[in-house]
Amino acid sequence: IKKEYANLESRGCWNINDAKPLSEVAQYYTKEGILIHIGSMLELLYLKHSELDEKEQKLKGRVIFLGDRVRDQHGTAAIFEALASSPAGMEAARFVEAYGLMSTTGIAHTIEQGDAEQAYTQAKLDTTNPTFIRVPAHMRKSWMKAGVTYVMPLVKALYGHPQAGVFWE
């Protein structure tokens, strides 16, 4: 999980040095008349390839955005823009499969398909409502005051964000 956090931070998903107390952030945006979205991250740890021999298995850590629990600065459930998104991967996979099934003068086509590495983290999160994530306790820095909830801007889309697919697409 530490490796996953380091990876996401190196990809520019957030900058811990931009973290501020939630109360300050909420007060500023309320004064400006802007609704913000505030969410949390969820850490997942699982055994990859658990069905294989032990030597083929490995622990995998993932950090995702809890998109079903996002609130605005007033504590109200966040409302996201209704942006259209077509599952590009599904369309692409079907096109590749159709092409592979065709043959020209009896010669079958050869097909290959690839996947983007951590696709959503490649996209800038360009939302109408700025999105902030709570800083987990284990990421807190020495300059952060005890007992204060800190948030940092979410810059790149994370899996679980309701609009991540749209911005990646």
Side-chain angles (χ1 to χ4, degrees):
I1 289 179
K2 285 180 183 178
K3 182 179 173 184
E4 177 73 355
Y5 271 110
N7 180 36
L8 293 172
E9 193 161 4
S10 73
R11 288 177 174 272
C13 294
W14 61 75
N15 183 344
I16 189 75
N17 295 317
D18 292 337
K20 291 184 175 39
L22 174 57
S23 58
E24 275 182 34
V25 173
Q27 184 179 17
Y28 171 80
Y29 282 97
T30 299
K31 186 177 174 184
E32 294 294 315
I34 299 171
L35 279 178
I36 60 172
H37 292 158
I38 304 161
S40 299
M41 295 181 280
L42 175 68
E43 300 165 352
L44 302 171
L45 183 64
Y46 60 94
L47 187 61
K48 188 172 181 179
H49 303 302
S50 61
E51 72 282 5
L52 302 177
D53 292 335
E54 261 188 63
K55 64 182 178 192
E56 302 293 326
Q57 300 172 358
K58 71 176 187 173
L59 281 176
K60 194 83 171 164
R62 286 287 174 246
V63 176
I64 63 168
F65 185 79
L66 284 171
D68 63 333
R69 298 182 188 171
V70 184
R71 302 276 178 190
D72 64 22
Q73 68 263 45
H74 308 294
T76 306
I79 298 172
F80 292 89
E81 295 175 65
L83 301 174
S85 173
S86 62
M90 292 293 288
E91 287 181 27
R94 288 185 180 134
F95 177 77
V96 169
E97 289 170 1
Y99 180 80
L101 292 171
M102 296 186 322
S103 64
T104 309
T105 62
I107 300 171
H109 295 147
T110 302
I111 59 173
E112 290 183 23
Q113 184 173 349
D115 190 14
E117 184 179 326
Q118 291 197 308
Y120 289 170
T121 62
Q122 297 174 16
K124 187 174 184 319
L125 194 61
D126 191 21
T127 60
T128 303
N129 305 93
T131 302
F132 291 84
I133 48 177
R134 287 178 187 81
V135 176
H138 62 82
M139 286 179 62
R140 292 178 69 92
K141 299 297 182 185
S142 60
W143 52 266
M144 295 179 176
K145 296 176 186 171
V148 176
T149 300
Y150 282 82
V151 294
M152 54 192 170
L154 184 60
V155 179
K156 301 259 184 102
L158 286 181
Y159 288 94
H161 191 285
Q163 296 173 320
V166 172
F167 291 113
W168 180 75
E169 191 177 296

